[in-house]
Amino acid sequence: MTLVQTDDRYPTRLVTAGEHLERTDPTVWGAVDSEELASFDANGFGIVEELLTPAEVAEFSAEIDRLAGDPALRGDDRVIVEKASNRVRSVFEVHRLSGAIAELVRESRVAGLARQVLGSDVYIHQSRVNYMPGFRGTGFYWHSDFETWHAEDGMPAPRAVSLSIALTNNYPINGSLMVMPGSHRTFVPCTGSTPAEHYRESLQEQEIGVPTHTDINALANRYGITQFTGSAGSALLFDSNIMHGSSNNITPFPRSNIFLVFNSVENALVEPFAAPAPRPTYIASRDFTPV
């Protein structure tokens, strides 16, 4: 189901650079009734220690290794490989490819976190596994997920959250995720028109829909930068509009995670705001069934 596009409160993919927009939408859509939710509201992210047990980490690590090595999936559009090494970078729609991950998604310790922040029932907008091998793992340049989801998927408002569940230890040295605390309150319009099927290039390396050096300099000086580090089994829950990125991994220590995006059922996708056609449903689901 695709709904008709509504008014665009977050214009992006502009011809010339636009001013940063201060967000008017809430971050926490329910009651801010705990210290954890107040911190999430202020910073745009929260760390969940020991979301998975060591036994579960081992189970899910084996499962994502199975997916990466499955010859039946090679050549599948849901499998994204690194430009240089041809190694698996991401596998999308993992909650449909793996029964174990599908069960995890539905658990209250996972989907319940999203419902608490978004104040409604939620559905899976996107799920994937990210692999960052040692020595040659490629990072992700600074970006706001919501900018892409709004422009290319038709997500009306930043009423979505992502949960990154670490299956390996996240060190400061192995390309762990960096975020700018509080930057979720500022929407950064990007320049450049969106080519047809842009996702085929952007999932390997995004060049359209990314902020300029001037944007990043301004945000970093205003908000600062912090890094998500922690042991396997920990998780990072973060707002859809927070500015984040990761550097390349040249250490021998690989990094992998299960990445789940929950969107409010009250924020269902419409027509893309700045792209010629919606991205495939394995990247941006249009099945708004609550989990």
Side-chain angles (χ1 to χ4, degrees):
M1 178 176 65
T2 301
L3 304 179
V4 177
Q5 188 188 100
T6 58
D7 61 308
D8 186 357
R9 295 185 293 116
Y10 297 95
T12 188
R13 311 290 168 97
L14 309 175
V15 176
T16 58
E19 295 293 323
H20 293 182
L21 303 176
E22 294 306 304
R23 171 176 173 169
T24 56
D25 287 294
T27 304
V28 176
W29 293 72
V32 182
D33 55 6
S34 68
E35 185 177 338
E36 290 78 12
L37 282 178
S39 177
F40 188 93
D41 189 44
N43 296 316
F45 72 93
I47 295 173
V48 184
E49 303 287 357
E50 299 179 346
L51 181 70
L52 301 183
T53 67
E56 288 174 321
V57 169
E59 173 191 350
F60 286 111
S61 295
E63 181 71 348
I64 71 165
D65 286 346
R66 180 189 69 80
L67 292 172
D70 187 347
L73 287 176
R74 273 296 181 149
D76 191 302
D77 283 346
R78 291 172 291 185
V79 178
I80 311 301
V81 298
E82 295 277 7
K83 270 186 174 181
S85 66
N86 205 40
R87 297 181 68 171
V88 174
R89 176 179 174 87
S90 302
V91 178
F92 280 79
E93 213 171 43
V94 289
H95 70 295
R96 300 194 187 280
L97 294 172
S98 165
I101 293 176
E103 290 181 13
L104 178 66
V105 164
R106 291 190 291 268
E107 291 190 21
S108 60
R109 59 175 164 165
V110 175
L113 291 173
R115 287 192 290 266
Q116 188 177 20
V117 170
L118 301 180
S120 69
D121 282 336
V122 297
Y123 72 93
I124 287 287
H125 170 70
Q126 182 187 106
S127 72
R128 67 178 190 261
V129 175
N130 292 324
Y131 305 84
M132 184 178 281
F135 299 112
R136 298 292 295 274
T138 306
F140 294 86
Y141 188 69
W142 290 107
H143 64 286
S144 151
D145 288 327
F146 174 65
E147 191 281 338
T148 294
W149 300 340
H150 182 71
E152 300 187 35
D153 300 334
M155 184 179 287
R159 194 175 179 178
V161 293
S162 299
L163 184 67
S164 176
I165 306 172
L167 297 181
T168 50
N169 292 335
N170 284 262
Y171 304 113
I173 56 173
N174 69 338
S176 58
L177 198 68
M178 297 179 287
V179 298
M180 296 186 185
S183 63
H184 63 299
R185 283 275 153 217
T186 301
F187 179 77
V188 180
C190 297
T191 58
S193 61
T194 311
E197 298 191 337
H198 174 239
Y199 64 91
R200 295 191 184 277
E201 289 75 37
S202 66
L203 296 179
Q204 290 183 314
E205 183 179 6
Q206 188 169 357
E207 295 181 350
I208 295 173
V210 295
T212 65
H213 289 179
T214 300
D215 293 325
I216 294 301
N217 186 60
L219 292 176
N221 279 286
R222 179 178 179 182
Y223 296 113
I225 297 173
T226 192
Q227 194 169 29
F228 170 51
T229 58
S231 59
S234 59
L236 180 72
L237 183 73
F238 59 99
D239 181 84
S240 60
N241 189 52
I242 197 167
M243 195 62 66
H244 62 287
S246 60
S247 57
N248 293 346
N249 181 17
I250 62 171
T251 76
F253 309 118
R255 188 170 69 83
S256 59
N257 66 293
I258 298 172
F259 188 85
L260 306 171
V261 180
F262 295 93
N263 189 28
S264 168
V265 296
E266 298 172 11
N267 192 41
L269 306 187
V270 296
E271 288 295 320
F273 287 89
R279 296 192 297 176
T281 55
Y282 65 83
I283 301 173
S285 176
R286 291 179 181 266
D287 176 358
F288 310 134
T289 305
V291 294

